[in-house]
Amino acid sequence: MSIRLRLVLSYIAMLLVPLVLLGLAVILISIATFGSLKSGFQVDFSQGNPIKRVVEQELDNVAYMKAKTETDPDAFLDPVFIKDLEDRFHKINMGIIIRKDKEITYSSPYLKEGEAEDTSKLPAFGTSSGQFHRNQASFWVTRQQDFLFSDKSKGSVFVFLDGGPFQKYLHQFSKSVILTFVIILVVTNGVLTYFVSRSIIRPLRALKRAAEEIKDGNLDFEVVPQSDDEIGELSRAFEEMRRKLKKSVEVQLQYEENRKELISNISHDLKTPVTAIKGYAHGIMDGVTNSPDKLEKYIRTIYTKAADMDRLIDELFLFSKLDLGKVPFQFESVDLGQYVLDCAQELQFDMEKKGVRFTLAELPKEPLIVTADRDKLRRVLLNIIENAIKYSDEGNCHITLTLREIDGNAVIQIKDTGHGIAEEALPHIFDRFYRADPSRNTATGGSGLGLAIAKQIMEEHGGRIGATSMIGMGTTVYMALPLNRQEENQA
């Protein structure tokens, strides 16, 4: 759920929930208040509407009183009748006042004895009912029945309602409703605000902590998205940024380590021939070469070491350009079977001169079309074959080359009968300047860059290179290039 939708729903809930709860609270408070108010009436509320029952009781009493004024007006001076009439109205929390002319002849116990009401405050004879106050309490005259006594004096019967209990209950009801509404509003908004803000603040705090960890250099602190909203998307983007930043730092550190290793290896590999050249040159200057044969040997050695240095510098320059992606490749469609056959025939003579048995064991019958740079691919084959010759016993070197189609790739395999490579060294043979020989002996003329260059060239072709080996059983290097199916079908 998005944050926008969550906020909209929370706003709606903040309006509707308090109203619904307030409605339920008003009902409950009304029931409780009505229960208290009901105690002020002596009417049977077991059946029917209680308010209707009170109104009906009042109408019956008024009708009874009116009939009496017409048939026996002097009865309103009879204590027995007055007592009966008082009891009738008392059941519904009402009272009566009887006035003869301007004199109050009777007033209900609601009006304390000795505190006769000023007749000027009562409605005059022949007027409608009204309201008057007594002792800071409210009384409402609900009925006024005027009549004439037998002596022709003016009589009035006032039915009044004591508003004190109603005001009390109304005040209590209003206070309870307002207090309940405030509590509901505060609790509802507080709970909704807490849950909504928690769903936003908690992931923001996690992001803040992650940012602080990254600022302190800890790139391993993982950010776990806790939702699918906008903050969840931000968390995923932040986590992706952290991973890329960590990878970038690791690559940078690896580059720095490789740079240091490269400088160390270059220094080591250049120092050996330079030292030899200086030694032999110093011997010539000191006159050690007192014979033409010895002088020729010294000069030839100096030339050989200089040639090694030149070859090392060329390979280093090529590898650096490959690493920077600055070597141009001339890609074209090549029938790899015919290409390998041509290379094998060209290398056959050189291999025989070196005492190496070179066998082209297997070629596919159908053309295998790949996209390749002929010169660069030849460089890979030469580097692998030269490496196989260097690490084989002289006079006992047999190299076998095969070409097969495997899983949509053209795979060249070059197998030798050399010393083999230790299992722990095998994963590193394509690293720059790596030699399985810990002494880093350069007597074989190796720079440690041949296989690394081969790997770079194969990767530029979109292929891969690998090796399998066992000590004393020789090594097999395989090179896989993806087939160009479209051109192969056309062929």
Side-chain angles (χ1 to χ4, degrees):
M1 184 184 298
S2 66
I3 295 178
R4 177 181 297 176
L5 180 58
R6 193 180 307 167
L7 291 175
V8 169
L9 292 179
S10 68
Y11 292 150
I12 295 174
M14 286 180 184
L15 293 175
L16 295 182
V17 173
L19 293 178
V20 173
L21 294 178
L22 180 62
L24 295 175
V26 168
I27 294 174
L28 296 176
I29 293 172
S30 299
I31 294 173
T33 304
F34 177 73
S36 300
L37 186 60
K38 189 170 63 174
S39 62
F41 299 88
Q42 300 178 25
V43 178
D44 182 14
F45 294 104
S46 61
Q47 296 179 353
N49 190 322
I51 298 177
K52 182 180 179 183
R53 297 285 294 170
V54 172
V55 173
E56 289 177 349
Q57 186 71 47
E58 181 194 10
L59 291 175
D60 290 343
N61 292 341
V62 171
Y64 171 73
M65 180 183 68
K66 183 177 181 181
K68 200 67 173 175
T69 59
E70 294 175 354
T71 59
D72 186 11
D74 290 339
F76 287 92
L77 299 176
D78 182 5
V80 176
F81 172 75
I82 294 174
K83 178 68 169 60
D84 176 64
L85 188 61
E86 173 68 29
D87 291 339
R88 287 172 177 266
F89 281 103
H90 183 72
K91 291 180 180 180
I92 54 176
N93 203 39
M94 290 184 175
I96 59 174
I97 299 174
I98 301 174
R99 183 178 63 185
K100 184 179 181 183
D101 290 332
K102 294 184 179 182
E103 179 185 357
I104 301 298
T105 60
Y106 177 81
S107 64
S108 292
Y110 290 120
L111 304 177
K112 294 181 181 180
E113 187 178 355
E115 296 181 355
E117 184 66 33
D118 186 357
T119 56
S120 63
K121 294 183 180 180
L122 288 172
F125 184 86
T127 59
S128 60
S129 60
Q131 178 184 7
F132 68 100
H133 301 274
R134 176 178 176 79
N135 297 330
Q136 298 181 351
S138 295
F139 296 88
W140 286 270
V141 175
T142 61
R143 300 284 179 176
Q144 179 180 347
Q145 183 64 45
D146 296 327
F147 63 96
L148 294 175
F149 285 97
S150 59
D151 61 357
K152 303 302 181 181
S153 59
K154 296 177 181 179
S156 298
V157 181
F158 300 96
V159 179
F160 66 88
L161 175 66
D162 184 4
F166 287 97
Q167 288 185 334
K168 174 184 175 183
Y169 294 133
L170 182 60
H171 177 73
Q172 180 182 352
F173 176 79
S174 303
K175 183 178 179 181
S176 300
V177 170
I178 293 174
L179 182 61
T180 303
F181 177 72
V182 172
I183 293 174
I184 290 174
L185 192 63
V186 171
V187 173
T188 303
N189 283 270
V191 171
L192 291 175
T193 301
Y194 170 74
F195 282 108
V196 173
S197 62
R198 186 180 67 170
S199 65
I200 297 175
I201 293 175
R202 182 178 294 179
L204 287 178
R205 286 177 177 171
L207 285 175
K208 178 184 177 183
R209 182 182 175 190
E212 291 175 348
E213 292 288 341
I214 292 176
K215 180 187 69 173
D216 295 336
N218 181 15
L219 297 177
D220 294 322
F221 188 85
E222 185 176 358
V223 178
V224 180
Q226 300 178 359
S227 60
D228 294 328
D229 55 16
E230 292 86 348
I231 297 182
E233 294 176 358
L234 176 61
S235 298
R236 284 186 284 274
F238 192 93
E239 174 63 14
E240 184 66 20
M241 179 198 70
R242 180 195 68 82
R243 291 177 181 176
K244 290 186 177 181
L245 182 60
K246 179 182 178 182
K247 184 178 180 180
S248 175
V249 171
E250 290 174 348
V251 170
Q252 186 65 30
L253 292 175
Q254 184 63 41
Y255 280 165
E256 182 65 20
E257 186 66 25
N258 291 344
R259 186 185 65 81
K260 294 178 181 179
E261 183 181 358
L262 181 64
I263 293 174
S264 175
N265 291 334
I266 292 174
S267 301
H268 182 278
D269 288 344
L270 288 178
K271 186 174 182 61
T272 301
V274 168
T275 302
I277 290 173
K278 286 175 61 178
Y280 283 105
H282 188 69
I284 293 175
M285 288 187 296
D286 289 344
V288 175
T289 55
N290 49 15
S291 66
D293 293 339
K294 200 170 186 179
L295 177 61
E296 183 182 357
K297 178 181 177 182
Y298 273 43
I299 293 175
R300 188 174 297 278
T301 302
I302 291 173
Y303 175 79
T304 301
K305 296 300 180 181
D308 290 342
M309 289 178 60
D310 186 59
R311 183 171 61 254
L312 174 60
I313 292 171
D314 287 342
E315 290 189 344
L316 179 61
F317 183 63
L318 174 61
F319 181 81
S320 298
K321 291 178 68 177
L322 286 170
D323 201 26
L324 294 173
K326 293 185 177 180
V327 176
F329 280 76
Q330 303 297 325
F331 289 109
E332 58 182 303
S333 295
V334 177
D335 180 357
L336 196 59
Q338 186 63 45
Y339 177 81
V340 169
L341 178 61
D342 293 342
C343 289
Q345 292 174 349
E346 185 179 339
L347 294 172
Q348 188 75 38
F349 180 73
D350 292 336
M351 298 295 103
E352 291 177 355
K353 286 177 60 177
K354 297 178 180 179
V356 177
R357 286 189 300 159
F358 183 78
T359 304
L360 183 59
E362 181 181 348
L363 285 177
K365 295 180 180 180
E366 300 294 330
L368 296 180
I369 308 299
V370 299
T371 301
D373 183 316
R374 292 177 179 271
D375 292 338
K376 303 298 188 302
L377 194 58
R378 176 182 171 83
R379 180 63 179 264
V380 174
L381 293 173
L382 289 176
N383 284 1
I384 294 172
I385 292 173
E386 288 177 359
N387 204 65
I389 295 173
K390 283 186 291 187
Y391 293 100
S392 297
D393 293 331
E394 188 174 353
N396 188 29
C397 179
H398 184 195
I399 297 176
T400 304
L401 189 149
T402 61
L403 174 63
R404 299 187 181 96
E405 178 185 352
I406 302 176
D407 297 332
N409 293 286
V411 180
I412 302 173
Q413 292 183 340
I414 300 175
K415 182 178 181 180
D416 63 53
T417 56
H419 304 149
I421 303 171
E423 183 178 357
E424 62 273 10
L426 196 60
H428 307 288
I429 62 174
F430 295 99
D431 295 344
R432 65 187 79 183
F433 287 104
Y434 182 82
R435 294 191 184 93
D437 181 8
S439 65
R440 295 183 56 81
N441 182 19
T442 58
T444 59
S447 64
L449 286 174
L451 293 181
I453 291 174
K455 179 182 178 182
Q456 288 276 28
I457 293 175
M458 289 302 298
E459 289 178 350
E460 289 290 338
H461 280 75
R464 62 184 186 276
I465 187 170
T468 58
S469 182
M470 292 183 64
I471 296 294
M473 301 293 292
T475 301
T476 301
V477 178
Y478 64 87
M479 299 170 289
L481 289 171
L483 289 173
N484 191 336
R485 288 294 185 184
Q486 184 176 359
E487 296 195 15
E488 183 178 321
N489 294 335
Q490 291 176 355

